[in-house]
Amino acid sequence: MSTATNTTATDTVDPRAARRPARSGAAAGGSANTATSAERWSGYALLTVLAIAVVIPFLSVFLASVQPAGTPVVGLTWPERWSWDNYEAAWSVAGFSDLIRNSLVIALGVVPASLVLATLAGYALGTMRLPGGDAVAGFFVAGLTIPVELVVVPLYFDLRGVGLTNSYLGVILAEIALFMPFSVFWMRTHFLATPPSLVEAARIDGASSGAILLRILLPLARPSLMTLGLLVFMWSWNQFLLVLVLIQDTTKHTAPAGLGFFVGQNSTDIPTLAAGTIIVMLPILILFAVFQRSFIAGLLQGATKG
């Protein structure tokens, strides 16, 4: 009877005792992954410094843009009288309605084509065993090191030979080629981080390569595609030298190129120049504000896999 009682007591107590080390280990693991107070404050301090470094130049340009026209501006100066007429003057004098329309035509031609081509190339290089695939990927990475200043003059003569200068199509094709190395590298990195078991299971079920991409991998790639689309749009919108060389017709210039001419014509009127600068920057700021969650999710997607 005593033996049975002891056995029952042992059976009742041992499972609880076995769980205690597990809880302790979990607590230890949780505390190991928790930042200390000093680390948190140092991180906040670094982010604050970086935020100030980004905000102050933008704030300086904005405050200069609402100064009365012709006012000399030095540094970060709070306006005595806020004048919004500079934006109207800059819009009408520089013709920003046409410039922004031209920028949108080029950007909306570059972004979809870049996403489609980069997705197809990244899928092939990231999930398939292709002969020379690593070498091709290496060529794309090497393309990241080529500056646009190095190729813009030969590119002009090549496009002039086929009649694509002074045209939107010539700029669109040039920008797609210019952004393709990073775009392919970005999408290849995403597909490499995708669990191979997804692709293998789909192939066992008889899915074709196109079906695997469209039905399985593409929905998972949405954050990466959103981030890449925003980056390509921003790069296309801000492109200055390429447009300036390939398009001599000022009626087809984009917003940054038009702003460059506007600066040359109004070099002494700082408030009006600042207003023009804000007008060119505003579409990018609005786009990032709307899609910032998707943009950050795409940046962090690779870090959270595995």
Side-chain angles (χ1 to χ4, degrees):
M1 191 68 177
S2 176
T3 303
T5 303
N6 291 340
T7 303
T8 305
T10 302
D11 292 339
T12 304
V13 174
D14 283 348
R16 296 179 183 177
R19 292 191 193 100
R20 288 171 190 160
R23 291 178 183 173
S24 177
S31 62
N33 293 329
T34 303
T36 63
S37 177
E39 291 173 342
R40 286 197 302 270
W41 282 107
S42 61
Y44 293 150
L46 178 60
L47 291 176
T48 301
V49 171
L50 294 176
I52 291 174
V54 171
V55 170
I56 285 183
F58 176 76
L59 183 62
S60 176
V61 175
F62 172 73
L63 291 178
S65 71
V66 294
Q67 299 276 1
T71 303
V73 179
V74 179
L76 191 65
T77 306
W78 192 265
E80 296 181 0
R81 180 175 62 86
W82 291 60
S83 175
W84 301 99
D85 297 336
N86 298 323
Y87 288 90
E88 183 179 355
W91 185 274
S92 59
V93 172
F96 275 114
S97 57
D98 294 332
L99 296 174
I100 290 178
R101 182 199 63 204
N102 297 338
S103 292
L104 286 175
V105 168
I106 293 175
L108 294 179
V110 171
V111 173
S114 297
L115 292 182
V116 170
L117 294 175
T119 300
L120 294 176
Y123 171 61
L125 295 173
T127 63
M128 301 178 183
R129 296 180 180 178
L130 302 176
D134 293 338
V136 173
F139 280 119
F140 278 109
V141 174
L144 296 172
T145 65
I146 301 176
V148 63
E149 295 82 3
L150 187 66
V151 299
V152 65
V153 174
L155 187 61
Y156 168 78
F157 288 106
D158 290 339
L159 291 177
R160 190 181 68 173
V162 294
L164 288 179
T165 54
N166 276 330
S167 69
Y168 296 137
L169 181 59
V171 176
I172 290 173
L173 294 176
E175 288 189 0
I176 290 173
L178 182 65
F179 305 149
M180 197 50 52
F182 177 83
S183 301
V184 173
F185 170 77
W186 178 269
M187 293 309 301
R188 177 177 179 267
T189 302
H190 166 78
F191 287 121
L192 284 174
T194 303
S197 56
L198 292 177
V199 179
E200 293 172 0
R203 284 174 178 164
I204 291 174
D205 291 339
S208 64
S209 297
I212 293 173
L213 175 62
L214 294 176
R215 298 181 182 179
I216 299 175
L217 298 183
L218 208 55
L220 298 176
R222 182 180 176 183
S224 295
L225 287 172
M226 290 288 292
T227 301
L228 181 60
L230 288 173
L231 289 174
V232 171
F233 184 92
M234 179 181 67
W235 294 337
S236 177
W237 184 273
N238 292 332
Q239 190 59 238
F240 174 76
L241 180 62
L242 192 66
V243 175
L244 201 62
V245 172
L246 297 183
I247 298 181
Q248 283 78 47
D249 186 357
T250 56
T251 61
K252 295 182 178 180
H253 275 176
T254 58
L259 180 63
F261 277 89
F262 183 62
V263 169
Q265 296 171 355
N266 302 271
S267 57
T268 59
D269 192 354
I270 302 301
T272 306
L273 293 180
T277 303
I278 294 295
I279 290 173
V280 175
M281 294 169 56
L282 198 58
I284 297 297
L285 295 176
I286 293 175
L287 198 66
F288 180 77
V290 172
F291 295 103
Q292 61 174 324
R293 291 184 180 273
S294 299
F295 181 80
I296 295 173
L299 291 177
L300 298 179
Q301 189 178 46
T304 59
K305 286 186 177 293

Coordinates of all heavy atoms in Angstrom, one line a residue, residues 2 21 75 88 97 135 163 169 187 200 217 260 276 297:
S2 N 1.9 1.2 0.8 CA 2.8 2.4 0.9 C 3.5 2.6 -0.4 O 3.7 3.7 -0.9 CB 3.8 2.1 2.0 OG 4.8 3.2 2.0
P21 N 12.3 23.4 -15.7 CA 13.5 23.8 -16.5 C 13.2 24.4 -17.8 O 13.8 25.3 -18.3 CB 14.3 22.5 -16.6 CG 13.8 21.7 -15.4 CD 12.4 22.0 -15.2
G75 N 20.1 80.0 -44.6 CA 19.9 78.9 -43.6 C 18.4 78.7 -43.3 O 17.5 78.9 -44.1
E88 N 2.3 79.1 -57.1 CA 1.6 79.4 -58.3 C 2.5 79.9 -59.4 O 2.4 79.6 -60.6 CB 0.5 80.4 -58.0 CG -0.4 80.8 -59.2 CD -1.4 81.8 -58.8 OE1 -1.6 82.1 -57.6 OE2 -2.2 82.2 -59.7
S97 N 2.8 71.5 -65.1 CA 1.7 70.5 -65.5 C 2.2 69.6 -66.6 O 2.0 68.4 -66.6 CB 0.5 71.3 -65.9 OG 0.8 72.2 -67.0
A135 N 26.7 32.6 -63.4 CA 27.5 33.5 -64.2 C 26.6 34.7 -64.6 O 27.0 35.9 -64.6 CB 28.2 32.9 -65.4
G163 N 16.6 56.1 -84.4 CA 15.5 57.1 -84.3 C 14.8 57.2 -83.1 O 13.6 57.5 -83.1
L169 N 9.8 56.7 -75.7 CA 10.2 55.3 -75.8 C 11.7 55.0 -75.6 O 12.1 54.1 -75.0 CB 9.7 54.7 -77.2 CG 10.0 53.2 -77.4 CD1 9.4 52.3 -76.4 CD2 9.6 52.8 -78.8
M187 N 14.8 40.6 -57.0 CA 13.9 39.5 -57.1 C 14.5 38.1 -57.0 O 14.0 37.2 -56.5 CB 13.1 39.6 -58.4 CG 12.2 40.8 -58.5 SD 11.1 41.0 -57.1 CE 10.2 39.5 -57.2
E200 N 9.1 22.3 -54.8 CA 9.2 20.9 -55.0 C 7.8 20.2 -54.9 O 7.4 19.3 -55.7 CB 10.1 20.3 -54.0 CG 11.6 20.7 -54.2 CD 12.5 20.3 -53.1 OE1 12.0 19.6 -52.1 OE2 13.7 20.6 -53.1
L217 N 4.3 31.4 -56.0 CA 5.4 32.3 -55.6 C 5.0 33.8 -55.7 O 5.5 34.6 -54.9 CB 6.6 32.0 -56.4 CG 7.2 30.6 -56.2 CD1 8.5 30.5 -57.0 CD2 7.5 30.3 -54.8
G260 N 15.8 71.9 -63.6 CA 17.1 72.4 -63.9 C 17.1 73.6 -64.8 O 17.9 74.6 -64.5
G276 N 9.5 75.4 -56.5 CA 9.6 74.5 -57.6 C 10.2 73.1 -57.2 O 9.8 72.1 -57.6
A297 N 7.7 46.6 -45.3 CA 7.5 45.1 -45.3 C 8.4 44.4 -46.3 O 8.9 43.4 -46.0 CB 6.0 44.8 -45.5

